Amino acid sequence: MDSIVYLVPAFGIVGLLYTAWKFSWVSKQDAGNDTMKELSGYIADGAIAFLKAEWKILAYFAIPTAILLAWLGNQEGPGFHSSPLIAVAFLIGAIFSATAGYIGMIVATKANVRTAEAARTSLAKALSVSFTGGSVMGMGVAGLAILGLGGLFITFYQIFAQGQALTSNEMKTAIEVLAGFSLGAESIALFARVGGGIYTKAADVGADLVGKVEAGIPEDDVRNPATIADNVGDNVGDVAGMGADLFGSYVATILATMVLGQEIEVSDNYGGFSPVLLPMLIAGVGLLASLVSTFFVRIKNETDSVQNALNTGNYLSIVITFITSYFLVKNILPESLVLRGFSFTAMDVFYSIIVGLVVGTLMSIITEYYTAMGKRPVDSIVQKSGTGHATNIIGGLAVGMESTVLPILVLAAGIYFSYFFAGIYGVSIAAAGMMATTAMQLAIDAFGPIADNAGGIAEMSQLPAEVRERTDNLDAVGNTTAATGKGFAIASAALTSLALFAAFVGISGITQIDIYKADVLAGLFVGGMIPFIFSALCISAVGKAAMEMVNEVRRQFREIPGIMEYKAKPEYEKCVAISTEASIRQMMLPGAIALSVPVIVGFIMGPEVLGGLLAGVTVSGVLMGIFQSNAGGAWDNAKKSFEKGVLIDGVTFKKGSEPHKAAVTGDTVGDPFKDTSGPSMNILIKLMSIVSLVIAPYIAKTDGKVSHVEKAPIVMKVVAKK
């Protein structure tokens, strides 16, 4: 174990070296003419301004939280295995998560203008630049996650458990302190995703409603005051937000598997550590598989399919991970393992990994079907646009609700079969297998907003029509890849949350969660409600910020003469400021709910009721996440279908027609669905699970009684009962 464990941070370093290499390559590409550079500069400045404002607020949250964790880590009691160093792990997780988003933001704001310039040459060149920018994001996130987790595991092992057995109390301390890294990552991810989502959709709605619908100009027209804020939003929401999101998922999945692996008593060549090492090593080989696969994402001709090129890279990374996982499992795990009375073999673990890879692949395929142009679901919304705005909304809602069926059946089958093979460890290792190709998944996802920004810059710079044609091609595929990325994220969150839930049950000392008990059933219902109020707050925040944006855009059109004639420049910075201030202000309450509810319920009502709450929020959150993300993606591509013309009842309709206006309304409704509240669901369920895992030792049942840190929570419980 002392030698093989060092492979883990080494994998992370390889990923970061690739990141630096490709970042340098993107930076050296031609950034176009002065107008393009100026517009790109506005976008980059707005993005960095948002990040600085967000980090300032998050510092006010992170420092007190670290102090509280340090205090909790210093408490003594039965079953307590923590240390004040958990606060250090928390801060490192928060910093690494923020850094992952920053890397993506910087490269995206460099790659967007260079993609637009590359589109002057060919579609192949434009794809090369945009996807390389995305791969910098993907490898940066995966590299930081593996380096941080592997490095901290080695550090805490040497501090607390050098030479100790895997099942020792010292080793429990090392693993529980490591949980602080995941908590830090998920906390920052929530605020980044919610804040970024509010920012991007406030700008997008303002640009759409006033620019496209009222003024009749393109969304990305240089005359539209909200267009820069809209392009900034693509980066802060879909790049920085998604990067922090999948960084958190990546870390939480590996950590949950390590916690469960610690309970397995085995005889192997690694001092019994093989079940703990395996998830970290799978993540490492998955990173290498993704790295190799990036070189196969290419096209040669203008007529080649961009979607097929991306799929080639994705499927190749999955196949390589599948093959390497087999050799890892066979050479690391012993033949027989037992966890909580469930016996399984090394090959059973490999079969569970296959289940995870299959679930991830199927989720991407299903999401693509429900959100891609030319498929039945999107076409059905297009047809309903022919009879007005209301029928478009009805059609989009129906598609979103229908789109939950197959993903849930796939998830249910994945949970069943992975448990059938290797028990709860199988479910957890299936999630680790699915997340192994995170670097490739994120590269494909980050490609989308880069392509979208490139199209915006091409439009604002008034580049030739063939340039915009190429960027539109990339953007249409990017809409689908963004939707499939969200589907992948919510699927991984479901399996990760189940693994975290199993780890919570073990540490909190409960053997079952009996929903026949009134308080547990109440917790289940409250948990089911939380994703709804969380979504309501997010969507309401977008609405409030969008109203401010709409009023500002209208004011500029009214008070600045010459904008429509290209004689005056809009005040872009004022729209950027509105989105920044509104998103920072409105993200606090949803974040507070996710962080505080598990603590309040756990300390007042105990671990079993908290378990019921987690079950409710997981089921409800997964359904809400799939529904909102797919409905929004379908509405978006229904709108984009009109750009090339659609046939409704034998008549062709294009942009500017009444059916197109109905589609714009649907897309406006779907925007906060797919980019704010929907993607936030997976962070919500993971964050509540990881918070519960961290507090589990302090609310654990010992000899049938609940153990708390102080008497105050017990008094609160008595008062609550009275």
Side-chain angles (χ1 to χ4, degrees):
M1 200 281 283
D2 288 340
S3 57
I4 195 172
V5 71
Y6 286 96
L7 277 176
V8 178
F11 285 134
I13 291 170
V14 170
L16 292 177
L17 289 174
Y18 175 95
T19 299
W21 172 37
K22 289 299 185 181
F23 183 89
S24 175
W25 182 86
V26 169
S27 300
K28 291 176 182 177
Q29 303 307 300
D30 189 356
N33 58 40
D34 290 341
T35 301
M36 295 168 67
K37 291 175 183 176
E38 181 185 10
L39 293 169
S40 177
Y42 285 140
I43 296 170
D45 291 345
I48 296 302
F50 168 79
L51 278 187
K52 287 181 178 178
E54 184 181 56
W55 288 347
K56 182 178 179 181
I57 296 298
L58 292 181
Y60 296 142
F61 153 76
I63 293 173
T65 303
I67 294 171
L68 177 60
L69 287 171
W71 177 77
L72 283 174
N74 202 41
Q75 301 303 304
E76 296 181 0
F80 291 11
H81 304 105
S82 192
S83 160
L85 284 179
I86 192 173
V88 176
F90 169 81
L91 290 174
I92 293 174
I95 292 169
F96 272 37
S97 181
T99 303
Y102 178 77
I103 289 173
M105 184 81 81
I106 293 298
V107 73
T109 53
K110 282 181 174 291
N112 55 14
V113 67
R114 288 162 174 81
T115 299
E117 178 62 21
R120 287 176 178 265
T121 305
S122 67
L123 180 63
K125 179 69 172 175
L127 172 62
S128 177
V129 175
S130 56
F131 178 75
T132 301
S135 67
V136 169
M137 173 68 164
M139 291 298 165
V141 166
L144 281 171
I146 295 173
L147 176 63
L149 201 57
L152 285 177
F153 175 76
I154 293 170
T155 302
F156 293 147
Y157 171 73
Q158 292 178 341
I159 291 174
F160 298 111
Q162 182 73 40
Q164 299 295 319
L166 181 63
T167 54
S168 65
N169 286 337
E170 291 81 5
M171 198 61 219
K172 289 180 180 178
T173 299
I175 296 290
E176 288 185 24
V177 170
L178 190 60
F181 182 75
S182 182
L183 178 61
E186 290 289 3
S187 300
I188 298 303
L190 178 71
F191 289 111
R193 176 53 102 178
V194 174
I198 294 170
Y199 185 113
T200 183
K201 291 306 105 181
D204 200 1
V205 170
D208 278 358
L209 289 183
V210 185
K212 289 162 72 173
V213 177
E214 294 182 8
I217 60 177
E219 176 183 352
D220 292 315
D221 195 299
V222 71
R223 295 170 293 178
N224 192 332
T227 191
I228 294 296
D230 187 12
N231 282 276
V232 171
D234 291 334
N235 293 291
V236 300
D238 287 338
V239 176
M242 178 60 93
D245 179 358
L246 285 186
F247 180 91
S249 290
Y250 205 41
V251 171
T253 303
I254 299 169
L255 175 72
T257 313
M258 292 170 69
V259 172
L260 292 172
Q262 186 191 14
E263 296 185 37
I264 302 176
E265 293 190 24
V266 296
S267 177
D268 56 27
N269 297 324
Y270 305 98
F273 279 81
S274 57
V276 171
L277 293 173
L278 183 63
M280 291 191 286
L281 292 172
I282 288 175
V285 298
L287 183 148
L288 294 184
S290 299
L291 189 154
V292 171
S293 302
T294 59
F295 295 102
F296 292 86
V297 178
R298 61 182 65 179
I299 59 174
K300 294 181 179 179
N301 305 312
E302 294 291 310
T303 55
D304 288 350
S305 171
V306 173
Q307 184 69 63
N308 288 345
L310 296 172
N311 288 343
T312 298
N314 185 25
Y315 296 146
L316 182 60
S317 68
I318 292 170
V319 170
I320 296 174
T321 302
F322 164 78
I323 295 169
T324 52
S325 294
Y326 172 79
F327 292 103
L328 266 180
V329 170
K330 289 294 288 184
N331 287 283
I332 290 180
L333 291 183
E335 185 55 35
S336 178
L337 305 93
V338 180
L339 173 62
R340 299 180 186 176
F342 192 101
S343 300
F344 52 98
T345 66
M347 284 306 296
D348 288 329
V349 173
F350 176 63
Y351 297 147
S352 296
I353 294 172
I354 294 175
V355 169
L357 291 170
V358 170
V359 168
T361 304
L362 289 177
M363 289 294 288
S364 295
I365 293 171
I366 293 168
T367 307
E368 180 182 336
Y369 170 73
Y370 276 101
T371 57
M373 286 194 291
K375 306 291 186 182
R376 178 192 61 82
V378 169
D379 283 347
S380 70
I381 300 174
V382 170
Q383 295 302 312
K384 289 181 176 64
S385 302
T387 50
H389 301 249
T391 46
N392 173 281
I393 299 298
I394 292 169
L397 291 173
V399 165
M401 291 176 185
E402 179 193 327
S403 72
T404 63
V405 177
L406 288 177
I408 291 298
L409 292 177
V410 168
L411 274 175
I415 292 168
Y416 176 83
F417 284 110
S418 58
Y419 187 92
F420 172 80
F421 287 122
I424 196 64
Y425 186 76
V427 176
S428 189
I429 205 70
M434 181 193 298
M435 294 300 298
T437 59
T438 291
M440 175 56 73
Q441 295 291 337
L442 195 49
I444 293 172
D445 188 83
F447 147 84
I450 291 173
D452 191 3
N453 268 201
I457 291 171
E459 180 77 45
M460 289 185 283
S461 303
Q462 299 180 341
L463 297 183
E466 65 267 17
V467 175
R468 188 61 209 245
E469 234 176 79
R470 290 167 181 152
T471 58
D472 281 348
N473 187 337
L474 296 176
D475 186 23
V477 175
N479 279 336
T480 303
T481 60
T484 56
K486 294 179 179 80
F488 175 84
I490 196 67
S492 68
L495 292 182
T496 300
S497 296
L498 187 57
L500 289 168
F501 184 77
F504 162 77
V505 167
I507 293 176
S508 62
I510 54 178
T511 56
Q512 63 180 10
I513 297 174
D514 186 358
I515 63 170
Y516 187 69
K517 295 179 181 178
D519 54 354
V520 177
L521 186 60
L524 185 69
F525 273 97
V526 171
M529 170 272 296
I530 286 174
F532 286 85
I533 185 60
F534 189 92
S535 294
L537 290 170
C538 290
I539 294 172
S540 176
V542 170
K544 292 175 183 176
M547 287 172 63
E548 294 181 47
M549 186 67 70
V550 166
N551 289 333
E552 173 60 23
V553 175
R554 285 173 175 166
R555 181 196 69 78
Q556 292 196 32
F557 278 140
R558 184 175 62 249
E559 297 180 6
I560 303 177
I563 286 183
M564 296 301 290
E565 294 78 28
Y566 298 99
K567 294 178 180 178
K569 184 182 292 186
E571 296 173 341
Y572 302 122
E573 67 281 357
K574 291 193 175 179
C575 291
V576 170
I578 287 173
S579 269
T580 301
E581 293 166 9
S583 60
I584 297 298
R585 185 174 63 248
Q586 299 289 345
M587 75 180 185
M588 301 309 295
L589 184 55
I593 289 174
L595 288 163
S596 63
V597 168
V599 176
I600 295 170
V601 172
F603 278 102
I604 295 179
M605 305 301 293
E608 193 174 354
V609 176
L610 178 54
L613 180 96
L614 293 178
V617 76
T618 300
V619 173
S620 176
V622 169
L623 283 164
M624 285 286 285
I626 295 171
F627 157 60
Q628 294 184 83
S629 295
N630 288 350
W635 265 317
D636 193 351
N637 271 340
K639 177 200 70 175
K640 286 192 176 297
S641 298
F642 284 89
E643 292 174 359
K644 292 185 178 180
V646 298
L647 203 63
I648 302 176
D649 294 332
V651 180
T652 300
F653 294 94
K654 294 189 175 183
K655 290 177 70 172
S657 63
E658 288 304 313
H660 175 249
K661 291 179 181 178
V664 170
T665 299
D667 178 44
T668 305
V669 173
D671 273 338
F673 271 38
K674 70 181 176 69
D675 288 326
T676 308
S677 58
S680 300
M681 290 296 102
N682 56 310
I683 309 178
L684 172 71
I685 61 179
K686 287 180 300 175
L687 182 57
M688 292 184 70
S689 294
I690 197 71
V691 169
S692 301
L693 181 63
V694 169
I695 68 170
Y698 309 101
I699 62 173
K701 282 189 174 182
T702 55
D703 298 326
K705 297 180 180 179
V706 179
S707 171
H708 296 282
V709 177
E710 298 288 353
K711 292 182 179 179
I714 299 176
V715 174
M716 292 169 66
K717 182 175 180 180
V718 172
V719 171
K721 282 189 173 182
K722 286 183 179 180

